[in-house]
């Protein structure tokens, strides 16, 4: 039981600190959501051509 108490004693203050940081800087949350979408858009177009490489034994799209 002391192990669970120790975890809780660390998780709660760390969670509160992270929540306070998001309140002070909400742009961090917005960037954390928007940035992966941008990466998917950029690299999705890049990897669409992977199936055209000789020896790539899949006939279709990489999204199937």
């Amino acid at each position: 039981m002391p192990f669970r108490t120790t975890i809780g004693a660390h998780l709660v203050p760390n969670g509160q600190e992270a929540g306070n940081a998001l309140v002070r800087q909400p742009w961090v949350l917005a960037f954390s959501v928007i940035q992966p979408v941008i990466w998917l858009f950029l690299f999705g177009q890049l990897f669409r051509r992977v199936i055209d490489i000789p020896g790539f034994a899949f006939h279709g799209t990489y999204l199937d």
Side-chain angles (χ1 to χ4, degrees):
M1 284 301 222
F3 182 69
R4 290 184 184 185
T5 305
T6 304
I7 290 175
H10 290 283
L11 286 178
V12 171
N14 286 339
Q16 289 173 339
E17 185 176 338
N20 290 338
L22 285 176
V23 169
R24 287 192 305 268
Q25 298 176 345
W27 58 269
V28 173
L29 181 61
F31 184 75
S32 297
V33 171
I34 294 170
Q35 188 260 347
V37 173
I38 293 171
W39 280 69
L40 283 172
F41 175 73
L42 292 175
F43 289 108
Q45 296 300 317
L46 175 68
F47 290 120
R48 183 170 302 219
R49 308 282 302 183
V50 167
I51 61 169
D52 295 334
I53 296 173
F56 196 81
F58 182 73
H59 304 290
T61 67
Y62 74 99
L63 295 174
D64 289 340

